[in-house]
Amino acid sequence: MKQDEAALRAKIALLSEEAKIDLIIELMARVESLTARVAELEARLGMNSSNSSRPPSSDGYRKPAPKSLREVTGRKPGGQKGHPGKNLRQVPEPDEVVEHSPSRCVCGCCLDAVGVERAERRQVFELPKRPLWVTEHRIASKKCPQCGRMVRAQAPAEAPGPAQYGPRLLAVLVYLRDYQLLPYGRLTALCRDLFGAGVCKRTVETAQTRVHGALAPFEDMLRARLLGENVLHADETGMRVAGKLHWMHSLSSPGLTLYQAHPRRGVEAIEANGVIPAFTGTLVHDCWAAYFQYGAGHALCGTHLLRELQGVQENEGHAWAREMSAVLRAVSKTTDGRDDAPLSPAAADWFAGVYDDILARGRRELPPPRKTPGKRGRPANAKSANLHARLDAHRDAALRCLREPGVPFTNNLAERDIRMVKLRQKTSGCARTLTGAQVFARLRSYISTALKQGRNPLECLVEAVRGQPWTPHAQISSV
């Protein structure tokens, strides 16, 4: 090592003063570039689900310490005071009554002929031993005595052949597959063990296809109803379909949900959906650029902004990000639970002024764009600079909840709806075909909308199997 250092010193000594200066300048530029690269890699390693948009599954086994954006409320865990509890209660009309009478007293007297003075009621809720009920329809034929013609009775619609599953069992198959998200293998095993029914995967797919066809008018009606809403929530997530990356899009309101499976994430998918291009209300989303090409009313999810600001604080240490987080938390508290009561213009203007002041001070903290070694193109901005530019460019969208009472601070409604897509992938895997993904999207739209409107999803699926799907109410203002 010392020999190498001595040789290097001798080599430098032979250089002219001008060459030495050039070498120093070159080395300083390289150190600056490598320092920026190290900072970029450290920031990337410091990103996780708590300070960025990465999903929790990307954290691996080394999950970060919990850093919830929720603040301490001081309330004890569990049900709060005044919360109506739920427990098992007796029903007034049981399905079966079993009498238990004493036959002999302890003194030896027989009690068989003695009347009952008092009866204590105890009820046991149990599944029947044979949950699968088989009904045989005998289609009689008679010979007309006048003309000699054979006349056969009309078979019911649910019995088109010698043996088939009924509408309720088919609805249960769809319920288990598309609401409870069971894989085909576990679903067929459940039917075998609980119902004694040898259901195969093809039977489940046939039931799904049948409901999917019956729900075509429902989906058209759903799009029309969404256009009548004042506020819509949009989100999208990746989904593997036929071995390639596709996208599942969702549009939500408190009473309606529409899913759409599409090969693209941006404008092409939005145009194919047809709702957002014609929507005139406020669209709440996570600042995906394609949404800004439609309409004039946009609102950004405050929770996403808080996560990104937390990442800037942890990885780059900017004071403006900490201040902006405090302001957005205050906005969340101020607008939470106000229902339709508007915030005073003076309060909204005060928040907007503080927001602008923080951005102005933060602009002085931003690092200049840096060239990444080995990459072509323009120098890249740091994540803090990109977030700062986004907060500046979409100021009105970030603060829209202050001036429009119906606009929430977060996009949690869409987050909850789109989460079902990720849960399906975890439990059942990817979709093998685009048609299969589209079937799931339509069926899940029907189920989610039924749940939001307080309907039993199984009963709604039974109606759909029978070709008469349930129709939701026109509008629900709150969940």
Side-chain angles (χ1 to χ4, degrees):
M1 185 67 180
K2 291 184 177 181
Q3 293 178 353
D4 295 340
E5 183 177 345
L8 185 60
R9 287 179 178 276
K11 186 177 180 180
I12 294 175
L14 296 176
L15 298 176
S16 63
E17 291 298 325
E18 185 177 354
K20 290 179 181 179
I21 294 175
D22 292 341
L23 179 60
I24 292 173
I25 293 175
E26 180 184 351
L27 292 175
M28 289 180 64
R30 186 174 299 180
V31 168
E32 183 179 0
S33 176
L34 292 175
T35 301
R37 180 60 174 166
V38 169
E40 178 188 351
L41 293 175
E42 288 180 343
R44 190 179 302 176
L45 289 173
M47 293 174 60
N48 52 59
S49 59
S50 67
N51 58 19
S52 69
S53 297
R54 290 186 174 183
S57 58
S58 66
D59 293 336
Y61 291 108
R62 296 184 178 180
K63 294 186 179 297
K67 295 180 181 178
S68 175
L69 295 176
R70 297 178 182 176
E71 297 183 353
V72 178
T73 61
R75 294 182 297 182
K76 295 181 178 180
Q80 302 300 311
K81 188 176 181 180
H83 174 71
K86 293 183 179 180
N87 58 346
L88 189 61
R89 299 178 184 273
Q90 291 186 343
V91 297
E93 297 294 336
D95 299 307
E96 181 184 7
V97 176
V98 180
E99 300 285 353
H100 299 273
S101 298
S103 60
R104 192 171 293 276
C105 180
V106 293
C107 68
C109 178
C110 181
L111 302 177
D112 291 342
V114 179
V116 177
E117 294 286 337
R118 178 169 51 89
E120 178 184 353
R121 300 174 66 218
R122 297 188 180 186
Q123 295 184 352
V124 177
F125 293 74
E126 180 61 284
L127 290 173
K129 293 181 179 179
R130 289 189 58 210
L132 194 61
W133 188 269
V134 180
T135 301
E136 180 175 290
H137 297 272
R138 296 184 177 180
I139 315 302
S141 297
K142 296 182 178 180
K143 187 175 182 179
C144 177
Q146 183 173 346
C147 65
R149 183 178 303 168
M150 292 296 294
V151 181
R152 192 183 71 166
Q154 184 70 31
E158 62 187 39
Q164 52 274 308
Y165 292 116
R168 180 164 292 275
L169 181 57
L170 295 177
V172 167
L173 298 180
V174 178
Y175 172 89
L176 294 173
R177 175 61 180 167
D178 295 294
Y179 177 37
Q180 300 299 343
L181 305 175
L182 288 183
Y184 285 115
R186 289 171 56 192
L187 193 160
T188 55
L190 182 148
C191 291
R192 181 189 65 243
D193 298 338
L194 294 186
F195 306 148
V199 175
C200 65
K201 176 184 176 183
R202 182 59 180 168
T203 303
V204 181
E205 292 175 335
T206 301
Q208 291 177 292
T209 302
R210 181 171 172 177
V211 175
H212 175 262
L215 292 181
F218 168 85
E219 189 175 90
D220 295 337
M221 175 275 305
L222 193 58
R223 284 188 167 90
R225 295 277 176 88
L226 287 170
L227 287 174
E229 297 284 332
N230 296 323
V231 179
L232 286 182
H233 297 253
D235 203 359
E236 69 288 329
T237 187
M239 183 178 185
R240 302 296 295 182
V241 178
K244 297 181 180 180
L245 178 62
H246 285 58
W247 295 88
M248 187 69 75
H249 299 256
S250 72
L251 279 176
S252 308
S253 71
L256 305 170
T257 307
L258 176 65
Y259 291 97
Q260 173 204 16
H262 198 276
R264 297 287 182 267
R265 184 186 182 188
V267 173
E268 186 177 341
I270 294 174
E271 292 286 347
N273 180 277
V275 176
I276 293 178
F279 182 60
T280 58
T282 299
L283 187 67
V284 185
H285 53 84
D286 304 336
C287 206
W288 175 235
Y291 292 132
F292 286 104
Q293 300 187 33
Y294 303 92
H298 295 271
L300 299 187
C301 175
T303 303
H304 274 73
L305 297 177
L306 285 173
R307 278 202 296 264
E308 292 188 74
L309 287 167
Q310 184 170 327
V312 169
Q313 294 177 57
E314 295 177 354
N315 298 322
E316 300 185 43
H318 290 297
W320 73 268
R322 182 176 61 255
E323 295 172 3
M324 185 62 76
S325 294
V327 171
L328 291 182
R329 290 178 191 276
V331 170
S332 177
K333 284 185 177 181
T334 304
T335 58
D336 184 35
R338 61 175 174 168
D339 297 326
D340 293 332
L343 196 66
S344 67
D349 291 341
W350 182 85
F351 276 115
V354 175
Y355 184 97
D356 293 338
D357 291 343
I358 294 174
L359 287 181
R361 292 195 300 272
R363 194 171 287 108
R364 295 190 291 268
E365 295 184 49
L366 300 178
R370 297 183 182 276
K371 183 74 173 178
T372 303
K375 288 189 177 181
R376 302 172 62 183
R378 297 180 301 174
N381 285 322
K383 288 189 177 296
S384 57
N386 290 332
L387 177 59
H388 186 280
R390 200 178 329 132
L391 290 170
D392 190 19
H394 303 299
R395 168 186 178 274
D396 293 340
L399 300 177
R400 189 169 296 275
C401 61
L402 291 171
R403 306 188 186 277
E404 293 187 22
V407 177
F409 176 75
T410 73
N411 196 27
N412 284 349
L413 180 61
E415 293 284 337
R416 290 194 299 267
D417 287 337
I418 207 69
R419 181 177 178 270
M420 294 300 101
V421 180
K422 309 307 293 185
L423 187 59
R424 181 197 185 275
Q425 292 183 88
K426 290 181 179 180
T427 58
S428 303
C430 62
R432 294 186 179 274
T433 64
L434 179 57
T435 300
Q438 292 169 342
V439 168
F440 170 75
R442 182 179 293 179
L443 268 57
R444 191 73 207 189
S445 300
Y446 184 67
I447 292 170
S448 178
T449 301
L451 289 169
K452 286 181 177 180
Q453 302 212 5
R455 293 295 302 267
N456 185 320
L458 178 57
E459 296 302 326
C460 291
L461 287 171
V462 172
E463 296 176 20
V465 171
R466 289 174 173 160
Q468 299 175 339
W470 160 81
T471 301
H473 299 300
Q475 191 173 9
I476 287 185
S477 58
S478 61
V479 289

